[in-house]
Amino acid sequence: MREREKVQKLLRPKRLIVKQMSITEYRYGSLVLLKSDLLQKAGKTTHAFTTRYGGVSKGIFKSMNLALNRGDSSLNVEENYQILCENLGFKLSDLVFSSQVHEDGVRSVTGGDRKENLFDSPPYSADALITSEKELPLVVFTADCIPILLYGEDGDGNGTVGAVHAGWRGTALNIAGKVVRKMREEFHCLFESMIAAIGPGIGSCCFETGSEVAEKILKLPIQSASDYIGEKNGKTHIDLKGINRALLIASGLKRECIEVSEECTKCYGHKYWSHRGTKGNRGAQIAVISLTAGV
Ligand SMILES: [Zn+2]
């Protein structure tokens, strides 16, 4: 090879294909789910963030509506759950839910918290669930609010999972940090084992809010909270996903162990349920995670 060719070859950028770990979309026929590459790679959990695609609901609930009490046909909602559970290998009767109240309650759940009837209201409220029991899928509902799924393990490799519903109120109350603390204190999860996946939720593009919300966010224990607050047409816009990511880092998680879905539920209203995009006439998606048996 002539010297000049050698130099040119050296200067040519190498085509290094480095796959960024991220939230990846999976299609199973018409069913579309998102999964975290990091959680998949860890191989200890079964999890998903659902979308509007792949269910049997009709009208304004078309098609994968997983809200239990927003006016959809209960037969169709149950069928939607069956489709999802078959795909993920869950038993519908194993799912554990909570009544979500936009606060910062974190509940450790066990098999005793399974519901007898899918449409029964759980006898407790909490916006985050944690368990170390296997095959106990934890569910949170969202439709603009931010869903977060977590995994961690103790020094003996025993796993714990968490599912969080973080709207602006939960975010301002640092529910993400409270879940991490409980996983650490009650379940002895090691920081270096912890993974968090922040699913699709409303982006700063569409989360227009009042200055009182910004004031609460500025009091959170994160560096540069103001970086997540902006202004568009004289209105305050807040990056809830970014703040939750910062709260997880401030709680001790490694930044490379946190993945964030870039999709905004309002901008992608055809794909996700958005409370703002539908003015409240909507279904809901879920984020679900379970420790897999036998791993
Ligand atoms: Zn948006």
Side-chain angles (χ1 to χ4, degrees), residues 189-209:
C189 292
L190 304 173
F191 280 134
E192 57 268 32
S193 71
M194 294 185 81
I195 296 169
I198 300 176
I202 197 161
S204 57
C205 40
C206 296
F207 186 54
E208 180 187 303
T209 186

Side-chain angles (χ1 to χ4, degrees), residues 12-65:
R12 209 176 296 148
K14 283 185 184 156
R15 286 176 58 89
L16 273 181
I17 299 174
V18 179
K19 188 175 184 306
Q20 293 281 326
M21 296 304 254
S22 64
I23 309 282
T24 300
E25 187 176 300
Y26 292 78
R27 288 168 185 264
Y28 309 90
S30 61
L31 179 66
V32 178
L33 302 175
L34 307 185
K35 297 185 186 186
S36 145
D37 288 355
L38 285 172
L39 286 173
Q40 291 286 90
K41 190 168 171 235
K44 304 293 179 71
T45 65
T46 306
H47 78 283
F49 298 98
T50 67
T51 67
R52 290 182 69 159
Y53 301 139
V56 298
S57 290
K58 306 278 185 267
I60 63 161
F61 298 107
K62 190 179 176 187
S63 66
M64 181 51 88
N65 166 39

Side-chain angles (χ1 to χ4, degrees), residues 6-238:
K6 265 193 212 166
V7 171
Q8 277 182 342
K9 193 166 183 191
L10 282 172
L11 289 175
R12 209 176 296 148
K14 283 185 184 156
R15 286 176 58 89
L16 273 181
I17 299 174
V18 179
K19 188 175 184 306
Q20 293 281 326
M21 296 304 254
S22 64
I23 309 282
T24 300
E25 187 176 300
Y26 292 78
R27 288 168 185 264
Y28 309 90
S30 61
L31 179 66
V32 178
L33 302 175
L34 307 185
K35 297 185 186 186
S36 145
D37 288 355
L38 285 172
L39 286 173
Q40 291 286 90
K41 190 168 171 235
K44 304 293 179 71
T45 65
T46 306
H47 78 283
F49 298 98
T50 67
T51 67
R52 290 182 69 159
Y53 301 139
V56 298
S57 290
K58 306 278 185 267
I60 63 161
F61 298 107
K62 190 179 176 187
S63 66
M64 181 51 88
N65 166 39
L66 296 165
L68 295 172
N69 52 7
R70 298 194 68 90
D72 193 2
S73 141
S74 53
L75 279 177
N76 286 346
V77 173
E78 190 161 346
E79 176 69 17
N80 291 339
Y81 272 96
Q82 289 289 7
I83 291 168
L84 182 69
C85 286
E86 273 168 32
N87 184 278
L88 295 173
F90 294 154
K91 267 205 318 213
L92 177 53
S93 56
D94 281 342
L95 302 189
V96 174
F97 300 83
S98 173
S99 295
Q100 298 174 186
V101 288
H102 289 278
E103 291 176 4
D104 60 350
V106 183
R107 183 181 171 89
S108 303
V109 294
T110 64
D113 292 303
R114 291 183 177 101
K115 292 199 285 186
E116 287 202 2
N117 180 315
L118 177 63
F119 296 93
D120 287 349
S121 290
Y124 51 83
S125 58
D127 285 272
L129 301 173
I130 300 181
T131 193
S132 58
E133 284 193 25
K134 294 191 172 179
E135 298 189 311
L136 193 64
L138 309 179
V139 175
V140 289
F141 300 98
T142 60
D144 282 344
C145 290
I146 313 300
I148 310 172
L149 297 177
L150 294 117
Y151 172 76
E153 59 190 38
D154 65 16
D156 296 324
N158 299 305
T160 297
V161 286
V164 185
H165 159 252
W168 76 259
R169 289 185 184 83
T171 301
L173 291 166
N174 191 9
I175 191 168
K178 285 169 185 157
V179 169
V180 171
R181 192 182 337 147
K182 203 171 177 83
M183 288 176 77
R184 294 267 302 154
E185 291 176 358
E186 242 178 72
F187 297 93
H188 313 291
C189 292
L190 304 173
F191 280 134
E192 57 268 32
S193 71
M194 294 185 81
I195 296 169
I198 300 176
I202 197 161
S204 57
C205 40
C206 296
F207 186 54
E208 180 187 303
T209 186
S211 57
E212 72 282 2
V213 177
E215 281 164 28
K216 288 191 170 73
I217 296 296
L218 287 170
K219 290 183 186 147
L220 284 168
I222 53 175
Q223 288 184 341
S224 316
S226 58
D227 289 355
Y228 303 99
I229 301 169
E231 204 187 283
K232 199 163 98 181
N233 304 326
K235 307 277 187 181
T236 303
H237 281 247
I238 296 182

Side-chain angles (χ1 to χ4, degrees), residues 203 205-206 264 266-267:
C205 40
C206 296
C264 164
K266 185 161 182 255
C267 288

